[in-house]
Amino acid sequence: MKYDITLALTNKEESYALNQVAAQANGAVWLKSGNTVILATVVVDETDFVDEDFLPLTVQYVEKSYAAGKFPGGFIKRETKPSDFEALTSRIVDRSLRPLFPKGFANPIQITVMVLSCDSEADLQVLALNAASAALYLSDLDIFTSVSAVRVGKIDGEIVFNPTLSQLKNSTLDLYLAGSVDDMLMIEMQACGSDEAVVMDIVEPFIEPALSAQTLMQRQSNAVAEDELIEILAQAQAELKKANTAYENSFKPLAKSPFELKCVVSEIDGEMVEYVRTHHTDDLKRGINNMAKTERSTALRTIRKAIMQEKPEWNEHELKKAIESVKRTMVRAQILDEKVRADGRALNQVRPITIETNVLPSAHASALFTRGQTQALVILTLGGPKDAQMFENLTDSGTQNEAFMVHYNFPGFSVGEPSPIGAPRRRELGHGNLAKRALEGATSRNGQTIRLVSEILESNGSSSMATVCGGYMALRAGDIEVSEPIAGVAMGMVQENDRYAILSDIMGLEDHDGDLDFKVAGSKYGITAMQMDIKLGGIHLDVLRSALYQAAEARAHIIDIMIGAEENIELNEGTLPSTDLFHVDPSFIGDIIGQAGKTIREIIEKFDVAIDIDKKKGSVKLTGKNREGLRGARDHIEGIVSGVESTPKVEYKVGDVVNGKVKKIVDFGAFIELPGGIDGLIHISKLSDGHINRVSDVVSEGDELMVEIVEFKGNKIGLARAK
């Protein structure tokens, strides 16, 4: 393959081959970076037009298993349903490139990104966007704005641009920023939690004083403060400017001659607009108030039908656009001029919140979080390592386990739509992923598998952030440790020239008629996850700083309400599986395990628990289906340790002769209980000088006899009858 362009960027190199493959497409590039090869194509239907007010753009990111020398997993050995990573990457590319298209672009357009060869250190999401943008720029569409992506990590306190995947595993920050030379267009951010070593004095009744100072791991969310995030974004924006300048300087001479785009922009009828303003302003105000309460309001349709009776000669479709225009102007003017929103709230006011926990008695834990007309029922299920979701990304060397899951469901009835429930779409996957990124870093798993499912029961703005809040409450209702309370809020902005207003906790109406919406989740100390989509023209960092400050105030307000609700949590004791971690003196571990594991098996069967013991550290981890069994198992173990501690230890050596008691007879010999509660085995051949057919011919259970210690095999003691 002959490469036409090679660009040396920060921490990576990209080479592009043009006009050598996929010649029938409007635009195509073959991108190579390291050992990764990506083909990106752009195809537009120049003869068809969509008669709807939306951009008919479809982005498909596809990974081929052969790219990493693998077979597709599962029974069918070919690529089928897109993985979650493929769906989320398609969504990232779509959101980053959509702002480039002019208003009224109505030709169906397909962007396809295929991974043909894969380097294990490659950031495929960054390369996918860079390849797709290059194909669009070099195509015969009249779009000459380069968009690229930069990944930002924070490793050992240092900011790193475009880290490798190995480096990213050690990062406390995962920031994905897409933009052009001048503008940020899309932000995805996650604070990566870590376990920090903390030396603490442990007060345990059965532990040696010398072992009382223990190093324990404490969860840190690594939330990013607002000012720090702005500084990082400023540096990343400069990195994007440098990269996009290099792209445009290299691509511009090689771009195809563009054909003329035919944008379908219909003019709004001025006479209709004036009539609506003059005769139906009060009706619209009432309609707007109704729309503030639900995403699926029929208020505007009612007004439209009334006007059509007054003006039957008018075109109803044109009237609909006129009413929408007047409504939008009224909503925005009220916000900018009066500082009051459609539902009467102040710009920084959060809707009323109610929280109920453990409303589902048979679930491990649950929370019903309601904010205004948005309601999320979040359910927690706990399991062990075997319950984790197995997956394998193209860059992985083998199968991985996802032990923290957030699944988001958005049924039609949540917005009053009569639609059936189907498979999750990209939007649902994206919202679930955002909530997962917000909560995962702050959550202590302690070896458990955690699944949160968010069922959206009602929606009027930012159900994903309701999922974050409900998810935190469900975790606490399941007695899961979280480093600090985590809440989320959706923010919006309305801007006219130099005037702007920032809105907290936006509803559907404000999302539709505003200029910007972004979602921020985190604690009182910083941000753990953020998602932002920005229109071409960008947002000034000072404005973004103000918006983040206002979001922090909203989060603090929500967190205070959540902390109050935590005090009323009553655990589902009968169904909630639990874990307990405590320490004993390591010298007692053998007594807990028992001979050949007998004692520990009895504990497991009696209390229905799983036991994990670290013999060196003396840590004992119990996992059970309910708290009663867990408490019983711990009491039993502590009773064993207490009994052993109060009983003098008896040590034996070969040649010792002691008086023992026959505990159990088996075909091959008898188990003898020795002084100190220790068992030994006397083989049938050692019971008598002569040959015997059955052990019971010589001894019976309960008999006492003198025995000699003849050997040690690990923890087993071999005996013979003393002479």
Side-chain angles (χ1 to χ4, degrees), residues 63 164 269 577:
E63 294 180 344
T164 64
D269 190 302

Side-chain angles (χ1 to χ4, degrees), residues 57 94 112 119 231 248 252 314 326 470 518 542 547 550 590 619 714:
L57 169 65
D94 185 302
T112 305
D119 186 329
E231 292 176 9
E248 292 186 358
K252 194 168 186 177
W314 282 0
V326 177
F518 65 100
D542 287 340
Q550 189 167 316
S619 66

Side-chain angles (χ1 to χ4, degrees), residues 307-516:
I307 295 176
M308 286 304 297
Q309 289 183 345
E310 300 167 6
K311 297 284 187 177
E313 70 277 11
W314 282 0
N315 181 287
E316 189 170 350
H317 182 68
E318 294 298 318
L319 177 60
K320 179 181 178 181
K321 291 190 290 185
I323 293 174
E324 281 284 350
S325 174
V326 177
K327 182 263 297 181
R328 184 174 187 272
T329 301
M330 290 175 64
V331 169
R332 294 167 64 86
Q334 184 177 354
I335 290 171
L336 288 171
D337 298 337
E338 303 174 30
K339 308 300 182 187
V340 176
R341 299 155 73 173
D343 59 358
R345 280 186 292 154
L347 303 186
N348 63 348
Q349 188 175 351
V350 176
R351 288 171 291 179
I353 293 173
T354 60
I355 302 172
E356 296 179 66
T357 53
N358 287 332
V359 295
L360 305 178
S362 295
H364 290 167
S366 58
L368 183 63
F369 181 89
T370 307
R371 178 170 57 203
Q373 297 81 38
T374 297
Q375 187 176 66
L377 174 64
V378 186
I379 303 94
L380 169 72
T381 307
L382 300 175
K386 293 181 180 179
D387 296 306
Q389 173 68 60
M390 294 176 62
F391 71 96
E392 184 177 357
N393 288 328
L394 207 56
T395 51
D396 293 333
S397 58
T399 302
Q400 308 294 315
N401 289 318
E402 183 181 11
F404 187 91
M405 296 167 272
V406 180
H407 296 151
Y408 167 100
N409 298 315
F410 192 87
F413 65 73
S414 65
V415 287
E417 290 181 355
S419 58
I421 294 175
R425 295 159 292 181
R426 285 183 186 177
R427 176 182 177 275
E428 290 171 289
L429 293 174
H431 281 11
N433 184 59
L434 175 59
K436 175 188 174 181
R437 289 187 285 115
L439 293 167
E440 185 175 23
T443 304
S444 298
R445 287 197 303 105
N446 294 324
Q448 292 176 293
T449 294
I450 296 175
R451 182 185 185 225
L452 290 168
V453 178
S454 176
E455 307 286 1
I456 303 304
L457 306 184
E458 184 181 4
S459 178
N460 183 20
S462 191
S463 52
S464 64
M465 294 297 95
T467 297
V468 172
C469 300
Y472 170 79
M473 293 305 304
L475 289 169
R476 296 301 298 129
D479 203 25
I480 298 296
E481 292 183 19
V482 184
S483 60
E484 62 252 26
I486 303 295
V489 64
M491 306 293 293
M493 187 174 75
V494 173
Q495 184 172 13
E496 295 286 350
N497 301 320
D498 294 334
R499 295 194 304 157
Y500 69 88
I502 299 168
L503 310 176
S504 298
D505 180 26
I506 60 172
M507 51 191 167
L509 177 66
E510 294 164 338
D511 187 6
H512 183 269
D513 291 334
D515 299 310
L516 168 73

